[in-house]
């Protein structure tokens, strides 16, 4: 039976910036048009955190029963390493996703009925990333899904539930956050190219190959800083987002130096930290502008 510490590690806490940053950025976008509602931001954060924990457990379950995690060079996996039963991990995923759905329904009731369709799409995306008979994560669409769910939907959804509208600055923030989040997955999938190829998991990294995946990681980290320059049109304070450049450079260092396996784990961590720092700095800047 897995220990509490192993369950926590199985929830993949290193991915939490991907859930926190969209809410921070979306709240900053709402604040820039005088629409921030802090208690709604907290609800949105609870939804985002519950969903990412749910999708992480769901991935652990689905990859584990497929045998994808039988040979790993990365962090702990509950099912793949036989630390917890598949049923227990599946139930943890369902409970986490259900908690996210409950908080989401509260926001739907307070905002607009059609958001329930967005929520349903998020739940389906969470489960079928590695679940079902034809998981889209096994066909190279993982980075696109992360860009959409943790970028576009996460940021613009947070802005909308608070301000009742979205604007161009929110869209720019959404692209930036989605790019950062995709960079985290790109680094993860770069590390796993050998084992994913062996197990038949065709990620985008497997399709692109090692050299082009390394280039993609750099591009995904560069896009948010281009977004920073665009956001200067809203407020010159947006330039404080450049404070995340050193972290982004550090995140890409193992990638551009040709590291592999466990040596790429810092790239995942630092990509997430750059995402979080950029989102906090930019949200504060936009809040000042509002």
């Amino acid at each position: 039976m897995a220990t509490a510490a192993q369950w926590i590690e199985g929830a993949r806490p290193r991915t939490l910036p991907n859930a926190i940053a969209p809410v921070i950025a979306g709240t900053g976008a709402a604040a820039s048009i005088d629409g921030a509602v802090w208690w709604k931001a907290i609800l949105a954060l609870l939804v985002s955190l519950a969903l990412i924990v749910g999708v992480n457990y769901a991935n652990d379950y689905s990859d584990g029963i497929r045998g994808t995690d039988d040979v790993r060079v990365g962090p702990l996996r509950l099912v793949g390493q036989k630390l917890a039963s598949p049923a227990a991990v599946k139930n943890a995923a369902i409970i986490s996703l259900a908690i996210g759905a409950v908080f989401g329904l509260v926001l739907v009731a307070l905002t607009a009925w059609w958001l329930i369709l967005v929520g349903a799409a998020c739940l389906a995306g969470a489960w079928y990333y590695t679940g079902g008979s034809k998981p889209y994560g096994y066909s190279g669409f993982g980075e696109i899904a992360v860009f959409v769910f943790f970028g576009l939907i996460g940021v613009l959804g947070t802005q909308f539930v608070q301000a009742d509208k979205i604007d161009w600055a929110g869209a720019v923030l959404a692209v930036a956050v989605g790019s950062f989040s995709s960079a985290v997955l790109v680094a993860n999938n770069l590390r796993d190219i050998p084992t994913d190829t062996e197990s038949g998991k065709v990620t985008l990294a497997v399709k692109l190959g090692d050299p082009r995946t390394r280039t993609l990681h750099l591009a995904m980290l560069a896009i948010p800083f281009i977004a920073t320059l665009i956001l200067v049109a809203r407020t010159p304070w947006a330039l404080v987002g450049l404070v995340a450049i050193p972290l982004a450079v550090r995140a890409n260092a193992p990638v551009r130096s040709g590291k592999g396996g466990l040596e790429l784990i810092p790239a995942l961590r630092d990509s997430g930290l750059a995402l979080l720092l950029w989102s906090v700095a930019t949200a504060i800047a936009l809040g000042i502008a509002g």
Side-chain angles (χ1 to χ4, degrees), residues 7 54 57-62 65 78-79 84-97 127:
W7 276 104
Y57 281 138
N59 291 347
D60 191 303
Y61 164 75
S62 296
I65 62 173
L78 293 165
V79 176
S85 70
V89 177
K90 181 179 180 180
N91 288 338
I94 292 171
I95 290 169
S96 299
L97 294 175
W127 186 259

Side-chain angles (χ1 to χ4, degrees), residues 68-87:
T68 307
D69 286 340
D70 287 351
V71 180
R72 286 193 55 77
V73 295
L76 173 147
R77 292 295 182 262
L78 293 165
V79 176
Q81 295 174 230
K82 296 179 173 56
L83 297 171
S85 70

